[in-house]
Amino acid sequence: MEVKDLSEALKRKGYQVSVFKTKEDAADYIAGLFDGDIIGFGDSLTMTQMDLYNRLSEKNIVKDPNQYSGKRFLAAAKEALTADYFFTSVNAVTKDGVIINIDCTGNRIAGSLFGHKKVFYIFGTNKITEDIESGVFRVRNVAAPLNAKRLNYKTPCAVKGDKCYDCNSPARICRGLLIQYRAMDDTESEAIIIEEELGI
């Protein structure tokens, strides 16, 4: 699929859109947007690969739960929800601009919905799917198992690494699914598309 087509679809759904060839170019663009701001992160491997925490921390206060674990993770996640700006990635985005995310704690999907001056969605081309059905399949059977394995969770999907088992494990990573048909009302939103494979 052409990134240009996805870009136009997202614009029709109310998003601002920026497209970059590399994660370095995208990180440079993002770092140039802020100076002295309070920024919240949803935990994201894509943003870790971009070194965004270090880049943005040079001139801003960044609330990133991914820097911690346990109670400190939860405290940082709550602080991120009150930041002026919020950054997250996506687990899937359809070619017609529907964003799909799955979450365990809820901080990523909660932060993307309300309360910020602006929300940024950053993702590589590997997250693009044909439609909602294939997007949900990707989220449940590709992204969630690989993330559970990356985090060393002892869930059936992480151990076997092949699909979602709709398990009852205490460490289950997929607890809430958000299908976002359009940019949220009264919140400025920007999709940053990177023409590389990033994250899971």
Side-chain angles (χ1 to χ4, degrees):
M1 165 176 185
E2 291 286 339
V3 168
K4 181 180 178 182
D5 294 337
L6 174 59
S7 175
E8 292 303 315
L10 286 163
K11 288 176 184 177
R12 288 193 296 270
K13 291 182 180 291
Y15 298 92
Q16 299 169 25
V17 181
S18 298
V19 180
F20 298 93
K21 289 290 185 184
T22 69
K23 64 181 184 294
E24 291 81 12
D25 290 342
D28 287 343
Y29 163 73
I30 293 166
L33 295 176
F34 301 99
D35 189 353
D37 293 297
I38 301 175
I39 301 166
F41 278 12
D43 39 317
S44 160
L45 180 59
T46 294
M47 292 173 359
T48 298
Q49 291 171 333
M50 295 172 67
D51 197 30
L52 271 190
Y53 177 78
N54 290 324
R55 291 294 306 273
L56 288 173
S57 293
E58 292 175 4
K59 296 182 179 181
N60 308 279
I61 298 171
V62 181
K63 307 295 184 178
D64 180 11
N66 201 42
Q67 302 297 315
Y68 310 102
S69 61
K71 291 183 178 179
R72 293 187 71 189
F73 172 94
L74 293 175
K78 289 179 181 178
E79 290 175 352
L81 294 180
T82 64
D84 291 332
Y85 302 93
F86 189 81
F87 281 81
T88 188
S89 188
V90 306
N91 295 128
V93 57
T94 68
K95 59 191 281 186
D96 61 347
V98 175
I99 290 174
I100 305 171
N101 268 317
I102 206 161
D103 208 351
C104 176
T105 305
N107 59 298
R108 291 175 68 239
I109 58 178
S112 67
L113 290 173
F114 180 76
H116 308 285
K117 290 180 180 178
K118 188 171 183 177
V119 174
F120 293 82
Y121 301 87
I122 309 173
F123 56 91
T125 51
N126 53 309
K127 305 293 184 71
I128 303 171
T129 65
E130 184 69 21
D131 51 28
I132 291 175
E133 183 178 8
S134 58
V136 171
F137 182 89
R138 182 190 193 282
V139 166
R140 296 190 66 192
N141 295 285
V142 178
L146 290 176
N147 271 313
K149 185 174 183 178
R150 175 176 66 90
L151 296 168
N152 295 314
Y153 288 172
K154 304 304 179 186
T155 58
C157 71
V159 172
K160 298 182 180 181
D162 57 351
K163 65 176 185 177
C164 174
Y165 288 84
D166 196 20
C167 71
N168 289 315
S169 169
R172 177 173 173 147
I173 198 169
C174 49
R175 294 173 180 257
L177 179 71
L178 173 65
I179 298 175
Q180 198 166 334
Y181 294 101
R182 301 186 66 85
M184 301 307 294
D185 199 16
D186 295 322
T187 299
E188 193 175 351
S189 302
E190 181 170 351
I192 295 177
I193 307 171
I194 302 169
E195 295 182 288
E196 296 180 332
E197 292 198 1
L198 291 168
I200 293 173

